[in-house]
């Protein structure tokens, strides 16, 4: 798509929001400053009939649905944060999770047959009407020829073109925002748009999703906080994915939390621990954990579906995450501050002590309080102000982690309004700290580093290549280098023991 076309689509998106009175809705007029109120009323002159009907969340949901996959993803994230945007507003956006308009079942059958290169009847004894429809795909219940019940995910026809258009429009919007609003540059709009765009592109190949589902199922089985349905590989192709039927009730169903015997506090805790265990212990996590992708059953079982977006963290990022969480758990704000500086999240010219003081101002008011007594809106506002004071920028490589943390906490609060995120996180973070930062772990790391050093020294002692005309060094030099390496390693280990 050309840049003029992207510009036209971006202006069209703004027009859709204005027509629905969803850009600056009338319901917030009472909190707007005079200049913003004037702009809002001027724009409202162009609003349509739909703007006079329904609640703001309903109007926004309909507008985002018209705008396509990227806009719908944004609405899904907002819908998980009732504590910030209000329960009614979040519930009205909830339909974007899995209640969009489906495409015909006959079309889905043709897609499946073409993708798998075999007749639908050769794999499925039955293939029924869709039970859920989202922005990129829809799910059909089916029965395999061996009698197993499965869910078949099928991409929407023409979705690749729609996503490509969204990506170009999103990139252009990021450029405009970064140029017009200097304050936004700390949030790295262009880098954020690139991250979101890449995630959307990967979701269009369901073979990758199948691989992610298989990998995460193995990871989830280690702790048991969450599970994933088994992949039916015979039913996997670029536009089709087949999984065993998910047990339980979708969390997006209002009846899900009213199941007999459901332990809501334990359910919320399992969700939080499942996410943290995936991210910290394995460096790979389900990055789209909204209610439409979670099935729950008594007493506290959680099963995840839709593995189109998977986040990954390298070892360095996992260590910084653990240090930050552990510091907050221990109320050691200097440790939290140091972790931010070590990771490069805060520019080095700032004071660690002042940053620790600022973190204490944010952290202390929430210590020991249940979720329903903490204003997430106010907390996020404080954090944004602090990031501005200390010149902190958005880290594109952490976008999926941060987005998923926000979503998971929001869902956990929905399950249990008294959910204590710190109490839920403590065992997972403690386990990581004891395993990775204990004296034993440090000694193992030191030994590994020493082994690498010895290998490097041994390579230095090897004779030069034959093409170089020079006499080979005496073999005694190799032994000398080796002896020096051993002595240096031994001295280092003694110093380490004394330090510990």
């Amino acid at each position: 798509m050309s840049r003029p076309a992207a510009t036209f689509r971006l202006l069209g998106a703004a027009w859709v929001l204005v027509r629905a009175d969803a850009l600056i809705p009338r319901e917030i007029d009472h909190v707007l400053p005079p200049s913003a109120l004037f702009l809002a009323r001027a724009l409202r002159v162009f609003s349509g009939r739909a703007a006079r009907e329904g609640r703001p969340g309903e109007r926004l949901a309909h507008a985002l649905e018209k705008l396509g996959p990227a806009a719908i993803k944004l609405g899904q994230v907002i819908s998980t944060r009732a504590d910030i945007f209000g329960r009614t507003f979040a519930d009205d956006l909830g339909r974007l999770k899995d209640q969009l308009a489906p495409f015909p079942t006959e079309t889905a059958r043709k897609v499946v047959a073409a993708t798998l290169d075999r007749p639908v009847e050769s794999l499925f004894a039955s293939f029924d009407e869709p039970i859920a429809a989202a922005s990129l795909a829809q799910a059909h219940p089916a029965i395999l020829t061996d009698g197993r019940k499965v869910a078949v995910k099928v991409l929407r026809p023409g979705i690749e073109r729609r996503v490509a258009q969204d990506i170009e429009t999103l990139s252009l919007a990021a450029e405009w925002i970064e140029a017009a609003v200097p304050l936004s540059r700390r949030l790295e709009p262009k880098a954020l748009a690139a991250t979101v765009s890449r995630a959307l592109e990967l979701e269009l190949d369901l073979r990758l999703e199948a691989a992610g589902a298989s990998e995460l199922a193995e990871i989830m089985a280690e702790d048991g906080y969450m599970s994933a349905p088994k992949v039916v590989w015979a039913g996997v192709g670029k536009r089709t994915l087949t999984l065993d039927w998910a047990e339980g009730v979708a969390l997006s169903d209002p009846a899900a939390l009213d199941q007999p015997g459901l332990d809501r506090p334990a359910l919320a805790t399992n969700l939080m621990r499942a996410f943290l265990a995936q991210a910290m212990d394995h460096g790979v996590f389900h990055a789209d954990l909204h209610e439409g992708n979670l099935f729950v059953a008594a007493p506290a079982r959680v099963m995840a579906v839709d593995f189109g977006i998977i986040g990954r963290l390298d070892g360095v990022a996992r260590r910084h995450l653990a240090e930050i969480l552990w510091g907050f758990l221990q109320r050691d704000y200097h440790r939290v501050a140091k972790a931010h500086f070590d990771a490069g999240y805060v520019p080095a010219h700032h004071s660690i002590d002042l940053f620790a003081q600022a973190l204490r101002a944010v952290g202390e008011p929430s210590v020991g309080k249940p979720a329903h007594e903490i204003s997430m809106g106010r907390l996020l506002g404080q954090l944004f102000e602090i990031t501005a004071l200390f010149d902190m920028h958005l880290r594109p490589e952490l976008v999926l982690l941060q987005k998923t943390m926000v979503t998971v906490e929001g869902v956990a609060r929905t399950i249990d309004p008294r959910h204590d995120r710190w109490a839920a996180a403590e065992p997972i973070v403690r386990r990581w700290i004891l395993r990775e930062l204990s004296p034993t772990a440090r000694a193992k790391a030191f030994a590994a580093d020493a082994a690498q050093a010895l290998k490097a020294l041994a390579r230095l002692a090897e004779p030069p290549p034959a093409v170089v005309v020079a006499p080979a060094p005496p073999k005694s030099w190799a032994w000398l280098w080796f002896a020096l390496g051993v002595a240096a390693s031994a001295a280092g280990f003694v110093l380490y023991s004394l330090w510990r």
Side-chain angles (χ1 to χ4, degrees):
M1 186 173 65
S2 65
R3 193 176 183 87
T7 302
F8 180 78
R9 281 177 54 83
L10 187 56
L11 295 174
W15 177 250
V16 168
L17 293 171
V18 168
R19 291 284 291 172
D21 190 22
L23 193 62
I24 312 177
R26 60 182 179 274
E27 287 81 3
I28 66 170
D29 279 357
H30 63 285
V31 299
L32 296 177
S35 57
L37 181 59
F38 175 80
L39 175 62
R41 288 176 174 171
L43 291 175
R44 217 161 286 145
V45 172
F46 302 99
S47 61
R49 180 185 302 176
R52 297 187 288 273
E53 301 172 356
R55 296 182 295 269
E58 292 175 322
R59 302 197 304 269
L60 180 59
H62 286 296
L64 294 179
E65 186 175 350
K66 291 179 181 178
L67 295 179
I72 290 171
K73 291 289 183 185
L74 173 62
Q76 289 173 350
V77 173
I78 295 174
S79 72
T80 65
R81 298 314 313 226
D83 52 320
I84 300 174
F85 300 100
R87 169 52 55 195
T88 301
F89 188 81
D91 287 345
D92 289 339
L93 287 174
R95 62 183 297 272
L96 296 174
K97 296 166 188 169
D98 55 8
Q99 300 173 35
L100 302 180
F103 58 90
T105 298
E106 187 55 37
T107 302
R109 291 174 65 93
K110 291 178 181 178
V111 171
V112 172
T115 301
L116 301 182
D117 196 24
R118 60 191 294 186
V120 172
E121 294 76 13
S122 69
L123 182 60
F124 304 105
S126 68
F127 190 94
D128 298 328
E129 296 295 316
I131 55 167
S135 57
L136 302 181
Q138 65 188 33
H140 294 259
I143 304 294
L144 295 176
T145 53
D146 64 7
R148 272 190 297 164
K149 187 174 184 180
V150 295
V152 185
K153 181 176 180 178
V154 186
L155 286 182
R156 288 181 176 274
I159 193 63
E160 291 88 350
R161 179 174 177 275
R162 188 69 186 270
V163 167
Q165 292 175 338
D166 279 2
I167 287 173
E168 190 159 348
T169 304
L170 184 63
S171 300
L172 180 61
E175 288 183 24
W176 284 10
I177 291 171
E178 195 163 303
V181 186
L183 184 63
S184 72
R185 292 170 192 165
R186 289 192 307 105
L187 299 179
E188 302 286 353
K190 289 192 286 189
L192 175 59
T195 301
V196 173
S197 298
R198 184 57 177 161
L200 280 171
E201 288 175 335
L202 294 177
E203 282 194 85
L204 297 179
D205 190 336
L206 297 185
R207 295 168 299 187
L208 297 178
E209 180 173 341
S214 177
E215 179 182 9
L216 277 174
E218 295 175 3
I219 288 171
M220 292 173 182
E222 294 190 19
D223 281 309
Y225 295 120
M226 181 182 284
S227 61
K230 184 179 179 180
V231 178
V232 180
W233 287 102
V236 173
K238 185 173 183 179
R239 300 180 60 81
T240 299
L241 169 64
T242 306
L243 301 171
D244 278 351
W245 190 255
E247 299 177 3
V249 181
L251 199 51
S252 56
D253 185 336
L257 296 178
D258 295 328
Q259 297 178 71
L262 199 70
D263 186 341
R264 292 174 65 158
L267 188 65
T269 296
N270 281 347
L271 174 62
M272 180 65 72
R273 289 179 180 172
F275 162 64
L276 289 174
Q278 292 167 32
M280 296 180 63
D281 291 339
H282 303 280
V284 54
F285 58 92
H286 191 307
D288 201 16
L289 291 173
H290 61 72
E291 289 98 331
N293 290 339
L294 295 169
F295 287 73
V296 299
R301 288 184 294 156
V302 187
M303 177 174 278
V305 298
D306 195 348
F307 297 83
I309 307 178
I310 290 181
R312 296 186 183 274
L313 296 175
D314 61 24
V316 174
R318 287 155 63 189
R319 174 169 180 154
H320 291 145
L321 172 63
E323 290 274 13
I324 289 169
L325 291 176
W326 186 247
F328 273 116
L329 284 166
Q330 300 297 307
R331 297 168 66 187
D332 184 348
Y333 298 107
H334 191 274
R335 182 173 191 161
V336 178
K338 186 176 185 303
H340 278 78
F341 275 78
D342 290 344
Y345 301 159
V346 181
H349 65 270
H350 286 290
S351 163
I352 290 183
D353 292 332
L354 286 178
F355 186 60
Q357 180 182 345
L359 291 172
R360 179 181 292 273
V362 174
E364 284 298 301
S366 64
V367 171
K369 289 186 177 180
H372 71 281
E373 294 183 11
I374 302 171
S375 169
M376 284 303 297
R378 181 179 178 184
L379 181 61
L380 290 175
Q382 288 179 301
L383 286 173
F384 190 79
E385 291 170 0
I386 286 175
T387 59
L389 284 173
F390 290 88
D391 303 319
M392 294 175 65
H393 283 238
L394 179 81
R395 305 289 294 205
E397 71 275 17
L398 299 180
V399 165
L400 287 179
L401 175 73
Q402 294 164 336
K403 171 251 188 187
T404 308
M405 290 182 75
V406 169
T407 301
V408 167
E409 190 189 6
V411 175
R413 282 171 173 256
T414 299
I415 296 171
D416 175 23
R418 301 186 67 86
H419 174 70
D420 185 342
R421 62 186 182 276
W422 297 120
E426 197 272 344
I428 305 301
V429 182
R430 178 184 292 275
R431 179 176 70 186
W432 194 96
I433 292 290
L434 291 176
R435 184 180 68 244
E436 302 293 337
L437 300 182
S438 65
T440 301
R442 290 178 184 271
K444 288 181 179 178
F446 177 82
D449 290 343
Q452 290 296 323
L454 288 176
K455 289 180 181 179
L457 289 173
R459 284 195 295 270
L460 287 175
E462 291 176 356
V467 294
V468 178
V469 182
K475 292 185 178 180
S476 57
W477 282 106
W479 287 105
L480 177 60
W481 281 114
F482 180 79
L484 288 173
V486 171
S489 299
F493 187 80
V494 170
L495 290 172
Y496 167 79
S497 300
L498 292 174
W499 168 77
R500 186 182 66 179

